[in-house]
Amino acid sequence: MRGKYALAAALMAGTMLTAGCDRIKQATGGSEVAVAETEFPERVFWGDTHLHTSNSVDAFGFGVRLGPEEALRFARGEEVTATTGMKAKLARPLDFLVIADHAEAMGATKALYDAPRLMIRDERMRRWYDLMHEGPAGSQQAMAELLDARGRNDLPEAMMDADAAAERTQSIWKEHLKTVERYNEPGKFTAFAGFEYTLMQGGNNLHRNVIFRDGIDKVGKVAPIDPTYKETPDEIWNYMEAYEKSTGGKVLAIPHNSNLSNGLMFELTAPGGGPMTAEYAKRRARLEPVVEITQIKGDSEAHPFLSSNDEFAGFGVAGWELNNLLMQEPKKNEMFAGEYVREALKRGLLIEAQTGANPYKFGVIGSTDSHTSLATGDEDNFFGKHSGNEPSATRANEGQNLGTRVGRFGWHYLAGGYAAVWAKANTRAAIWDAMARREVYATTGPRMTVRFFGGWDFKGDDLKGDWVRAGYKRGVPMGGELATKPGARPSFIVSALKDPLGANLDRVQVVKGWVDKAGKAQEKVFDVVWSDMDGQRKAAGGKVPAVGDTVNVATATYQNSIGAPTLATVWSDPEFDPKVRAFYYVRVLEIPTPSWPAFDAVRFKVKLNPEVRVKQQERAYSSAIWYTPTA
């Protein structure tokens, strides 16, 4: 939504490492809090960097009535009451949370809802007011129409008052920061200040979540920036650089839903079609070190059109591959290459070969993008995209579109994902710094523990000792870079542990991308370790047999009688060419498990439409490790 709206009325993988103690400034009034930091990242911290509350224009418009305080309480593990009246609680609390309410039109639908009807003169705004007051169904219709108008740049004049919008945003932001500070508890739970910059032209998604390393003493000096009708991210980058210069603080941005950008998120050229410069590439890589690869509105790792030899490509693309975000422009096959993360990593190598800089050298995380104030990525505890599709008997089968067009259904939404961060402590500084150095990974919901190190002399025997220390001392972790070592071949320590409360693991794969000597980007997926690999699942013809399927759809259950609880190996690239730039990342697959529609069918005793996804292989994606030949 456009923020220049105003209303007429006023409107465990690893060994324990030696701990040190670092005094980290947490901006709770500028006081210092002593927090112990480990020598190396010792544990993975789980969080959500993309949650919306009733302060977001669309979340409130769709009906959510829970605010930032309820969102933080829920993330910390407390029970809250959802908008629709159900009790909601996480099976396990999160370690950190970023409430990323839209800067655009922050609080606008709430202001419209609360305004005296007699003072609303615009006919469409009065219609939306009436619909929202009718109840949940009316709210969803009002928001669909409003979003559709936004995508067509056809909002009422009364919603375009920049001064009124800025005043409202400043007031909401001030109170929001106070709430975030109250719930930030260094060493126990981290609450970040952040917002969403909703860049979008004609429904093409170029959204970014902006996350501050700092607290209220610095972040309180600025307000969220409301995107104007632009087609490039320069506006938000200028804002970020100005913030760092004026406050001495730090801030990063995380692009999301590249799968709904209609090819614009990861272009080979500069925005607008001109040549991409090294300066642009370096700026983007510095300010946007992480990308959201999976969330409720689909998965953006790989698409079968781009990766036809990858049997596991295409997870979570159904429905989202049809059009852009607001269903206002049909998608063409040639657009996919600018939308999916694996292709972006390959494009980054091509651009680096031409300019000397790689704009797409980013890490990956998952998050929810939930608009319910409830940060849950669990299949058996999925509260929907917004309050209009919180748990019900009909939500999986019904049309659930963000605009007024048809074509997407409730089951197209995913119950994911989560951000996994390898940090030295649970503090703003440590978690933010881990994101900045890309030592992060994504899951589609399960909390698998994934380690990935690259080096030049790792051997299988390293796994018998303190291999985590060896990984840091003799190599680089996920997100790192390897330089040339003459005569050596890179080797990788790969380790994955199942979610303690979840499913066994099927396999671990290494995905390699490179630019061949003809200047063409290539990719290959290697199965490097899998369950029962010395028994019934011996690889043949370069393929590993399927792990099997224990899912009982009728009861929404599965058995951990197949797969493995942990998989680890040291793998060396058999096709390594020291003259060729490349990247490597890990993909971990679980055994098949029930999806959230299957849980709904059992819970509400309903029959699902035949096309509904009732089981899936959930997964984790590591950030890449890059190899760059020495010039």
Side-chain angles (χ1 to χ4, degrees):
M1 299 286 83
R2 182 174 170 76
K4 297 185 167 55
Y5 296 0
L7 303 168
L11 302 169
M12 299 149 347
T15 310
M16 296 291 287
L17 303 174
T18 305
C21 188
D22 184 21
R23 297 196 68 84
I24 298 175
K25 278 192 176 182
Q26 299 292 333
T28 49
S31 61
E32 290 188 352
V33 179
V35 178
E37 284 203 347
T38 53
E39 181 184 359
F40 307 123
E42 174 185 302
R43 56 164 289 197
V44 61
F45 294 100
W46 293 97
D48 187 355
T49 64
H50 191 176
L51 182 70
H52 294 269
T53 75
S54 58
N55 283 336
S56 282
V57 59
D58 51 352
F60 187 93
F62 277 122
V64 72
R65 297 298 180 261
L66 276 62
E69 185 143 5
E70 290 89 348
L72 287 158
R73 287 175 48 219
F74 180 82
R76 286 170 60 100
E78 296 181 35
E79 183 179 85
V80 302
T81 301
T83 294
T84 50
M86 289 173 285
K87 297 296 182 182
K89 186 177 181 180
L90 286 170
R92 291 165 289 183
L94 297 178
D95 298 305
F96 65 92
L97 180 68
V98 183
I99 295 175
D101 281 317
H102 296 284
E104 191 174 12
M106 186 173 282
T109 43
K110 185 178 188 302
L112 176 60
Y113 185 89
D114 292 338
R117 188 180 187 279
L118 290 174
M119 297 183 67
I120 303 173
R121 298 180 181 179
D122 181 88
E123 183 178 339
R124 278 188 295 168
M125 290 175 65
R126 197 160 53 244
R127 168 179 165 78
W128 297 335
Y129 173 96
D130 290 339
L131 283 169
M132 285 194 290
H133 280 270
E134 284 179 6
S139 288
Q140 292 170 57
Q141 180 62 32
M143 200 62 233
E145 293 179 14
L146 205 158
L147 282 168
D148 189 61
R150 161 62 169 91
R152 292 183 286 103
N153 296 346
D154 184 34
L155 289 163
E157 284 295 323
M159 300 186 82
M160 307 293 282
D161 186 326
D163 292 336
E167 183 179 350
R168 185 181 61 247
T169 297
Q170 185 67 257
S171 175
I172 293 172
W173 182 243
K174 182 178 178 180
E175 291 304 312
H176 174 71
L177 291 181
K178 291 178 182 178
T179 302
V180 168
E181 293 301 337
R182 285 201 309 274
Y183 282 87
N184 186 54
E185 197 171 348
K188 185 176 180 180
F189 179 82
T190 296
F192 284 95
F195 65 89
E196 179 172 321
Y197 176 81
T198 312
L199 183 63
M200 180 170 57
Q201 280 285 44
N204 294 327
N205 184 100
L206 292 171
H207 303 178
R208 269 89 170 159
N209 291 328
V210 178
I211 301 175
F212 297 90
R213 187 179 189 265
D214 318 297
I216 197 169
D217 58 337
K218 293 181 179 178
V219 184
K221 296 177 181 178
V222 298
I225 182 174
D226 179 359
T228 53
Y229 286 128
K230 293 186 179 296
E231 297 179 355
T232 73
D234 295 88
E235 182 181 47
I236 191 62
W237 294 350
N238 292 339
Y239 168 94
M240 294 165 66
E241 289 169 337
Y243 168 80
E244 291 179 335
K245 183 177 181 180
S246 64
T247 68
K250 294 183 178 180
V251 60
L252 59 80
I254 302 178
H256 66 267
N257 280 123
S258 54
N259 61 326
L260 297 171
S261 69
N262 274 19
L264 297 181
M265 186 67 84
F266 306 125
E267 295 180 284
L268 273 170
T269 64
M276 187 178 293
T277 65
E279 180 183 9
Y280 175 94
K282 291 176 182 177
R283 189 185 190 201
R284 179 162 182 165
R286 183 182 76 82
L287 294 172
E288 299 183 353
V290 176
V291 163
E292 187 180 288
I293 195 173
T294 191
Q295 61 132 272
I296 284 175
K297 298 196 304 293
D299 190 281
S300 302
E301 187 231 358
H303 192 281
F305 179 79
L306 304 169
S307 303
S308 57
N309 293 325
D310 180 0
E311 61 186 307
F312 295 104
F315 177 82
V317 304
W320 309 107
E321 61 184 347
L322 301 174
N323 301 74
N324 63 7
L325 177 60
L326 298 182
M327 303 289 286
Q328 292 175 325
E329 181 185 353
K331 202 178 299 293
K332 301 175 183 177
N333 285 342
E334 57 265 31
M335 296 175 177
F336 289 135
E339 298 197 311
Y340 286 85
V341 164
R342 185 186 300 175
E343 196 69 19
L345 293 171
K346 289 157 61 179
R347 285 185 163 194
L349 298 180
L350 290 170
I351 294 168
E352 185 177 33
Q354 296 169 354
T355 68
N358 185 343
Y360 306 134
K361 191 172 280 188
F362 47 65
V364 296
I365 59 160
S367 281
T368 66
D369 193 12
S370 170
H371 283 54
T372 62
S373 294
L374 306 175
T376 172
D378 304 322
E379 301 291 332
D380 61 352
N381 194 28
F382 179 52
F383 269 80
K385 165 67 175 177
H386 51 75
S387 59
N389 51 31
E390 288 186 9
S392 74
T394 58
R395 65 172 177 166
N397 290 331
E398 286 183 338
Q400 299 283 351
N401 303 305
L402 294 177
T404 59
R405 276 77 173 167
V406 297
R408 294 185 183 131
F409 296 89
W411 69 270
H412 289 146
Y413 288 115
L414 304 182
Y418 281 134
V421 177
W422 286 108
K424 297 179 181 180
N426 189 353
T427 62
R428 285 175 180 155
I431 292 174
W432 191 97
D433 289 349
M435 292 184 192
R437 67 174 181 267
R438 307 181 296 247
E439 197 171 352
V440 296
Y441 65 96
T443 83
T444 56
R447 303 192 193 186
M448 298 98 92
T449 302
V450 180
R451 288 278 204 187
F452 184 42
F453 293 98
W456 296 104
D457 63 355
F458 294 138
K459 305 295 182 185
D461 286 347
D462 284 321
L463 289 174
K464 299 177 182 178
D466 190 348
W467 57 268
V468 173
R469 181 177 294 278
Y472 282 108
K473 291 295 186 182
R474 291 162 36 208
V476 297
M478 62 179 74
E481 302 180 51
L482 289 172
T484 302
K485 185 173 182 179
R489 180 185 301 273
S491 53
F492 301 88
I493 298 176
V494 181
S495 171
L497 278 67
K498 70 180 285 291
D499 182 332
L501 301 184
N504 279 344
L505 305 178
D506 167 9
R507 69 188 73 193
V508 179
Q509 301 174 309
V510 171
V511 180
K512 177 185 178 182
W514 72 97
V515 176
D516 64 22
K517 293 178 181 178
K520 185 177 180 180
Q522 305 283 359
E523 68 174 58
K524 188 170 183 178
V525 180
F526 297 87
D527 290 300
V528 298
V529 60
W530 56 93
S531 66
D532 198 26
M533 61 191 301
D534 295 322
Q536 298 298 313
R537 299 184 70 202
K538 288 185 171 62
K543 291 290 185 180
V544 173
V547 68
D549 185 352
T550 66
V551 174
N552 184 331
V553 176
T555 58
T557 58
Y558 66 94
Q559 301 295 321
N560 270 332
S561 56
I562 59 174
T566 179
L567 294 170
T569 192
V570 175
W571 177 79
S572 183
D573 179 3
E575 302 172 4
F576 176 69
D577 184 337
K579 298 180 181 179
V580 173
R581 64 185 74 239
F583 65 80
Y584 305 83
Y585 71 86
V586 162
R587 181 171 65 186
V588 181
L589 299 176
E590 282 188 343
I591 65 172
T593 53
S595 64
W596 70 260
F599 284 103
D600 270 14
V602 173
R603 179 180 184 181
F604 297 108
K605 297 180 174 59
V606 296
K607 184 177 181 180
L608 299 173
N609 293 336
E611 70 274 13
V612 174
R613 181 189 70 255
V614 292
K615 53 188 172 182
Q616 61 201 6
Q617 284 190 261
E618 300 220 60
R619 53 202 65 197
Y621 310 115
S622 81
S623 293
I625 293 173
W626 288 266
Y627 166 73
T628 304
T630 301

